[in-house]
Amino acid sequence: VAVRHEQLPPGWQGLSFEQRGDSFFVTDVPKSCFSSKRGAMMAARPIDADVGDEIVSINGLPVLSFADIITMPGSSLNPCRDHQVGSVGKLSPMPCEGCDFLRRRQRHGVAVALQFWMRSAKSSLAIVLGVRPAAETSLAT
């Protein structure tokens, strides 16, 4: 089964996906969802993904494993260096991406938490999705 590796462009603001069991499927791919008009004009198609495609990995790791690493103490993806994960509130003067991720994961699920996290993290971290075409996935709609 062929898996494509698609890097999210830094200026791209969107990719929607949902969790079904332990799998994640693309639900929306905006054609131009950039933070600036210049960015939108530069990318006719930001990534090669379609509704129904399965996201099998993020930066080479299975999606759920990647999500776990974001809040794992000592992980390079965990920004909670001087406090416990989840201890900084969303209205704190110094918000924390790791604490926000954990709060969203607990309240809304891992798919929602990852989408918000990727939106904020992709400006400082290359995010590469492993994408399997819908025609090759067993759970595609």
Side-chain angles (χ1 to χ4, degrees):
V1 179
V3 174
R4 296 183 311 275
H5 297 283
E6 298 290 335
Q7 183 169 342
L8 297 181
W12 196 39
Q13 293 296 314
L15 173 70
S16 297
F17 55 91
E18 67 183 7
Q19 182 176 7
R20 296 184 216 151
D22 289 340
S23 300
F24 295 82
F25 295 89
V26 175
T27 57
D28 186 37
V29 183
K31 292 200 189 306
S32 60
C33 191
F34 281 81
S35 56
S36 71
K37 287 183 181 181
R38 182 177 181 271
M41 292 184 328
M42 291 175 54
R45 183 170 169 95
I47 66 169
D48 186 14
D50 293 304
V51 171
D53 288 356
E54 183 180 6
I55 300 171
V56 297
S57 65
I58 301 174
N59 288 5
L61 295 171
V63 177
L64 289 173
S65 297
F66 186 86
D68 290 341
I69 289 173
I70 294 171
T71 55
M72 183 182 300
S75 161
S76 63
L77 295 178
N78 182 347
C80 306
R81 301 278 184 252
D82 59 351
H83 61 274
Q84 228 177 358
V85 178
S87 65
V88 175
K90 67 179 181 179
L91 300 177
S92 171
M94 295 295 293
C96 171
E97 288 178 1
C99 292
D100 288 345
F101 175 82
L102 181 62
R103 185 175 40 261
R104 286 183 179 117
R105 183 176 186 171
Q106 290 171 338
R107 289 189 182 148
H108 305 290
V110 70
V112 170
L114 278 169
Q115 289 169 70
F116 276 95
W117 184 87
M118 288 190 302
R119 182 178 288 184
S120 65
K122 71 182 176 337
S123 62
S124 61
L125 173 73
I127 297 177
V128 180
L129 303 178
V131 179
R132 181 180 298 134
E136 298 176 16
T137 64
S138 59
L139 296 176
T141 56

